[in-house]
Amino acid sequence: MKKLLVLCVCAAAAVVSQTPAIPRLSYSAVADFFVLPAGANFGEAAGVAVNSKGHVYVFHRGERPLMEFDANGKFIRALGEGLFTTPHGVRVDAQDNLWTTDVGSHVVLKLSPDGRVLMVLGRKGVAGEDIPNTGITLFNKPSDVAFDRAENIYVSDGYGNSRVVKFDKNGKFLTTWGTKGTGPGQFDLPHAIVVDGRGRVFVADRENSRIQVFDSNGNYQTEWKHLGQPWGLALTHDGALLVADGLANRVVKADLSGSILGTFGGPGKAPGDFLYAHAIAVGPQDEIYVSEILNWRVQKFIKQ
């Protein structure tokens, strides 16, 4: 029996020794990147996005909740004053329009680059799924928004409805999929969403600790359970997926087959650490921005 135990321990040690370590990505935090107006602070930093000029948009839960900064981190202006209740996500489309998701008011807004409202999805202050016989779609705490090459709009209707809703570029309802649960195509808080160049839809199924992959019509393709608890998603210019793992407080980079390419970060308050890494964005020069809920900040990372 003792000999068998020794053999088992040795075999387990051999397996561990043959398991490849996850590479550490060589990114470093840029200290004091954002230059805020005098007396201003970020609140809980829920969202971050970057436009084609490298301008950075921070969506936070404080005064002046949507802020624009230039590529050097200098404050430009606040946008959308009075429009938001509880900021959650912000994205930039191919025309540099801004899209915000607000879990407090249950709406998705499309804003022009200068902050004018161009489209409203949902109804402010009204939570639900739809209004019968009206063609009006409602949300229940929507979390994120994404776009495909045809400019169709995908909303992760996350905290309340556990589904994805697809619209055309003019806001016309096309389809929806998902219910509350743990099975394929079900969700427990769809928290972030991105669409790749092939039209595949990646959904961060946060409380199920997985990423689910669908075709553009919502047909289930596969799922990945080895990338941590996904809170934020972003696609890189070199065709990879970045995951803000808000539970382990790290960033994971994977290829679009789900294989891990590397990771960086860890829990803490020092530069390069995270506490509730919530959203992630990629700039024109492959710089990475990560927003944090508990540290009330957005950090910029560059390759060493």
Side-chain angles (χ1 to χ4, degrees):
M1 183 68 180
K2 186 179 292 186
K3 183 177 180 181
L4 179 60
L5 180 60
V6 171
L7 287 173
C8 289
V9 170
C10 291
V15 169
V16 171
S17 67
Q18 294 171 9
T19 301
I22 297 175
R24 189 75 175 175
L25 297 174
S26 57
Y27 280 86
S28 59
V30 178
D32 302 318
F33 175 72
F34 291 99
V35 182
L36 288 154
N41 293 283
F42 293 143
E44 294 182 344
V48 62
V50 188
N51 73 7
S52 63
K53 300 176 182 177
H55 289 197
V56 184
Y57 298 89
V58 176
F59 201 31
H60 68 101
R61 296 164 187 169
E63 294 184 4
R64 291 179 279 193
L66 182 57
M67 293 184 177
E68 180 181 358
F69 299 83
D70 70 15
N72 297 311
K74 181 180 178 181
F75 176 79
I76 298 175
R77 58 185 167 176
L79 300 166
E81 293 283 4
L83 294 179
F84 310 114
T85 304
T86 308
H88 195 271
V90 61
R91 297 282 188 179
V92 176
D93 66 20
Q95 289 76 41
D96 279 346
N97 297 305
L98 299 167
W99 295 75
T100 62
T101 50
D102 189 329
V103 295
S105 63
H106 312 291
V107 295
V108 177
L109 298 182
K110 177 185 180 181
L111 307 176
S112 68
D114 60 359
R116 184 176 298 276
V117 175
L118 300 178
M119 185 184 296
V120 180
L121 298 174
R123 184 174 180 187
K124 189 170 186 177
V126 181
E129 292 190 7
D130 57 33
I131 300 176
N133 304 316
T134 65
I136 298 173
T137 299
L138 301 176
F139 303 118
N140 193 338
K141 298 183 178 180
S143 55
D144 199 10
V145 61
F147 325 97
D148 62 22
R149 288 185 172 178
E151 301 181 44
N152 294 311
I153 306 156
Y154 300 77
V155 177
S156 53
D157 190 12
Y159 286 81
N161 285 335
S162 294
R163 64 176 181 168
V164 173
V165 187
K166 180 181 178 180
F167 305 86
D168 71 10
K169 65 180 182 180
N170 296 312
K172 179 183 177 181
F173 172 86
L174 294 177
T175 189
T176 184
W177 70 88
T179 57
K180 181 85 168 183
T182 60
Q186 294 184 311
F187 303 109
D188 190 356
L189 184 41
H191 195 261
I193 188 168
V194 292
V195 183
D196 73 4
R198 294 166 51 188
R200 294 183 300 169
V201 183
F202 300 80
V203 182
D205 188 6
R206 192 178 92 172
E207 297 305 303
N208 284 326
S209 294
R210 65 184 178 181
I211 294 172
Q212 294 196 70
V213 186
F214 303 87
D215 69 14
S216 61
N217 294 312
N219 296 305
Y220 173 86
Q221 304 290 298
T222 189
E223 64 183 39
W224 303 330
K225 295 184 175 181
H226 59 290
L227 301 178
Q229 189 173 80
W231 289 29
L233 299 177
L235 293 168
T236 68
H237 303 301
D238 60 354
L241 180 69
L242 293 176
V243 181
D245 179 352
L247 185 62
N249 287 295
R250 60 177 182 165
V251 171
V252 180
K253 185 177 183 179
D255 66 24
L256 295 186
S257 297
S259 297
I260 295 178
L261 302 175
T263 184
F264 68 88
K269 296 181 178 295
D273 296 336
F274 305 113
L275 283 179
Y276 281 13
H278 194 261
I280 189 164
V282 180
Q285 305 301 318
D286 295 319
E287 63 272 36
I288 296 173
Y289 298 88
V290 182
S291 70
E292 301 172 68
I293 295 293
L294 295 187
N295 280 333
W296 289 23
R297 68 183 179 186
V298 174
Q299 294 190 75
K300 176 182 179 179
F301 293 86
I302 57 173
K303 290 183 180 179
Q304 293 180 342

